[in-house]
Amino acid sequence: MYIEDKSSSLNGLARIGRVTFSKTGKSISYGGRTFQSLKGSGFKANYFDVETGE
């Protein structure tokens, strides 16, 4: 999956990495972090970090 950090601006650090989807598909795990879906409400974003909110 293409992963890009857009917490501080529209252009951030990016990479392609392997993610693991939860059984419900509402969250993903990558690099020891868990990301939850924004359900289409984000501007140029799909997921946010559960721990930090980024």
Side-chain angles (χ1 to χ4, degrees):
M1 176 178 276
Y2 178 79
I3 301 168
E4 184 174 2
D5 179 10
K6 294 188 176 194
S7 60
S8 59
S9 70
L10 291 179
N11 296 321
L13 297 174
R15 64 182 53 163
I16 295 174
R18 185 177 301 267
V19 300
T20 304
F21 287 88
S22 67
K23 289 183 181 181
T24 61
K26 294 181 180 180
S27 64
I28 59 173
S29 296
Y30 174 75
R33 298 167 76 179
T34 302
F35 299 90
Q36 190 171 1
S37 175
L38 287 169
K39 301 176 188 168
S41 65
F43 178 70
K44 292 196 173 190
N46 299 320
Y47 293 89
F48 69 95
D49 188 337
V50 174
E51 291 182 20
T52 65
E54 294 180 338

